[in-house]
Amino acid sequence: MTHGQNTVKNGSLGPGRPWRARQYAVAPALAVAVLAAAVPAAYATAAPAQGGGDGLDRFHRQRLAWGSCAKGPDDTAGHALDGAGVSCADVTVPLDYADPRGRTISIAVSRLRATDTRHRIGALLLNNGGPGGTAVESPPHIREAMKEVGARYDIIGFDPRFVGRSTPLDCGWPVGTAWFSAGSARAGFERQVALQKDLAAKCRAAGASVLPHISTRNTARDMDVIRGALGERKISYLGYSYGTYLGTVYTQMFPGRHDRVVLDGAVTPGDYKARLLQGAEPENERALSDWAAWAAGRHDAYGLGRTRAEVLATVDAVVRASARGPLTVGAGPDVFRLDDSHIPLILFMGIADDTDPARAALAEQVSALARAAHGQPAPLSPDFARLLRYTLGGEQAISGGVQAAIICGDVAAPRDPEVYWRDIERSRAAHPLFGPLTNNIGPCAFWDRPREALTQVRRDVPALIVAATGDPRTTYRSSVELHEQLPSSKLITLEGANRHGLYGEYGNTCVDDAVNAYLASGKLPQQDRTCGARPTSD
């Protein structure tokens, strides 16, 4: 999801990275510039740390060569990290944990060291979601969000295997995401089947030898190697969105090796599946309706309607027009043709943030689409053009392939296209806009079966779970279910917000203070807590 304006940034879940797109993340063009195979860290004896056993001790005991984050003179993000006092290194891990003497890959990590060393608590590992989101660039922002307690932690960002600055995988996709709507007719669905089959084939051709080893469980194993290489007996963790699933998997696989755990926008393992957003249609419809009410109060600025119903009618008219024929938007080199497989995706990406800047960005986009639906010139804002270049033009398309590889490497999907078509048709009556998107076929239908079963919650974990009642990505229901599966956990609820990703992002003091108090003391609140959403302008 996009924080603030609807730009395309790293980290999320679903189309165009809607699960999590960080405000401070690397811009698409820059992210492409820094993608390169990392140089493996040299092995050497490190401070004693709890090893992994099974031939993994050499990985846990490797000495990390911390240094500059900049990969070259044009690496703006790397130079910014250097300027913020962050250092970077590469952690060597086995490609296949069943064969630790075989091929290795490298995981890019960053570290912002504790400054209050007398009261140092430990290391805090970050994951921004995705799947496939980067976090090497995140420590300065998280240090700021943590306020005084931030000085007591080494804050550790990492790019999961085959993501960002880690050993890369480029499937050579022509589009930035595999998440599209099936549209309004069978012909559109058939085009989706052909597209998704082709996307899967491209990943298989580009990375057949590594695809079986791209999974959340292997990323959790990488995390434990990072812990060992840092010389930490235990490691604390902050995960957003998909990162909450990764954090849960780590706690189940490596009990006793985690300290303080914060899960923001949590998803229960039972809701983690190839069609990640199936079942979240009501939350997305509610978020769209609330946005429509906001836009109605600004009709003079955007011309979308003076009531909620009128704005939603404008949206419906745009979708119907795109089903009759593609809408042409933009000018010059940025001209795009958008049909009814694209419009629901654009709307979906715009409603996971209910702050005024994000709502304004979506209103500008819908205004452009409404003009195109009437055959009028439809110029694009720079952010909208960037979004479409990513989604349809394949700018930074490397991230979409990796996201698919992680999801498809975790969970098996139905193979028969008719299963998807039946689900789409059943969903239309209740959810005509988002049902054909959330139920659509994806590349996992054409992927090899995962090598491992999904992780089940079998161990209690005293985690702090943070969730908004109107989260359109990882639903509040899912966070509550995970809370119930972890009886020792506590839940911080933000009422009345259609927002995905809260701590350090949304500006809610109640949420931020609760998380920071836990990170400082290690003590969970005595009871679950409810916070009110911060006011937004009318």
Side-chain angles (χ1 to χ4, degrees), residues 121-145:
I121 295 170
L124 176 69
L125 191 63
L126 311 176
N127 183 275
N128 289 333
T134 68
V136 160
E137 77 284 352
S138 300
H141 175 81
I142 296 300
R143 170 67 58 84
E144 181 181 358

Side-chain angles (χ1 to χ4, degrees), residues 343-367:
I343 303 302
L345 168 65
I346 291 167
L347 296 167
F348 182 87
M349 287 191 288
I351 56 176
D353 186 346
D354 61 6
T355 59
D356 284 352
R359 284 177 161 175
L362 180 58
E364 291 172 357
Q365 293 169 11
V366 175
S367 292

Side-chain angles (χ1 to χ4, degrees), residues 184-503:
S184 58
R186 177 75 191 210
F189 174 71
E190 294 294 346
R191 288 192 292 272
Q192 285 297 306
V193 173
L195 171 65
Q196 303 298 339
K197 186 175 183 179
D198 180 63
L199 294 178
K202 281 180 164 55
C203 277
R204 190 174 296 109
S209 65
V210 301
L211 290 181
H213 310 293
I214 304 177
S215 69
T216 298
R217 287 180 66 86
N218 277 336
T219 298
R221 294 179 175 109
D222 295 342
M223 287 168 54
D224 202 54
V225 171
I226 293 171
R227 177 200 58 76
L230 292 172
E232 301 286 344
R233 189 176 65 85
K234 293 185 177 183
I235 197 163
S236 294
Y237 180 79
L238 168 62
Y240 295 87
S241 188
Y242 160 81
T244 67
Y245 175 69
L246 173 61
T248 300
V249 170
Y250 182 79
T251 64
Q252 299 302 303
M253 292 179 66
F254 299 99
R257 300 188 190 179
H258 54 84
D259 186 10
R260 299 159 205 197
V261 176
V262 180
L263 307 176
D264 189 321
V267 56
T268 179
D271 285 342
Y272 185 72
K273 51 195 172 185
R275 288 181 283 182
L276 284 167
L277 297 157
Q278 190 179 41
E281 298 87 0
E283 287 80 4
N284 282 277
E285 289 163 351
R286 190 177 310 118
L288 181 65
S289 179
D290 289 348
W291 166 82
W294 181 95
R298 295 155 179 81
H299 175 74
D300 291 344
Y302 304 111
L304 299 176
R306 296 188 180 279
T307 66
R308 183 196 309 254
E310 288 178 358
V311 174
L312 292 174
T314 298
V315 169
D316 184 59
V318 167
V319 175
R320 284 187 283 107
S322 71
R324 293 191 295 269
L327 308 181
T328 301
V329 298
D334 285 327
V335 174
F336 303 92
R337 291 169 60 79
L338 309 176
D339 61 25
D340 56 349
S341 70
H342 306 130
I343 303 302
L345 168 65
I346 291 167
L347 296 167
F348 182 87
M349 287 191 288
I351 56 176
D353 186 346
D354 61 6
T355 59
D356 284 352
R359 284 177 161 175
L362 180 58
E364 291 172 357
Q365 293 169 11
V366 175
S367 292
L369 295 172
R371 287 192 293 271
H374 287 92
Q376 301 171 359
L380 303 176
S381 69
D383 283 341
F384 196 14
R386 194 156 42 244
L387 179 72
L388 295 178
R389 284 198 302 271
Y390 163 74
T391 306
L392 305 181
E395 182 175 282
Q396 201 188 332
I398 188 171
S399 61
V402 176
Q403 182 180 74
I406 297 169
I407 298 170
C408 302
D410 280 344
V411 287
R415 316 292 282 186
D416 184 359
E418 294 305 315
V419 171
Y420 299 89
W421 179 247
R422 288 194 295 268
D423 288 346
I424 290 164
E425 289 294 274
R426 277 195 294 264
S427 72
R428 287 190 194 277
H431 311 293
L433 177 61
F434 292 122
L437 172 68
T438 60
N439 290 277
N440 197 20
I441 195 168
C444 297
F446 307 99
W447 218 267
D448 292 341
R449 296 288 182 177
R451 291 198 170 186
E452 295 187 80
L454 274 174
T455 301
Q456 303 297 317
V457 175
R458 304 188 189 282
R459 295 183 174 91
D460 191 11
V461 179
L464 184 65
I465 300 172
V466 180
T469 55
D471 189 334
R473 296 296 175 268
T474 52
T475 66
Y476 183 67
R477 290 176 284 109
S478 197
S479 292
V480 170
E481 184 173 339
L482 181 62
H483 176 39
E484 292 170 348
Q485 292 175 353
L486 304 174
S488 296
S489 67
K490 290 294 183 288
L491 176 64
I492 306 296
T493 297
L494 181 64
E495 282 194 326
N498 302 320
R499 170 68 193 211
H500 184 61
L502 299 174
Y503 171 67

Side-chain angles (χ1 to χ4, degrees), residues 84-98:
V86 178
S87 56
C88 291
D90 296 309
V91 177
T92 301
V93 300
L95 172 66
D96 181 358
Y97 276 86

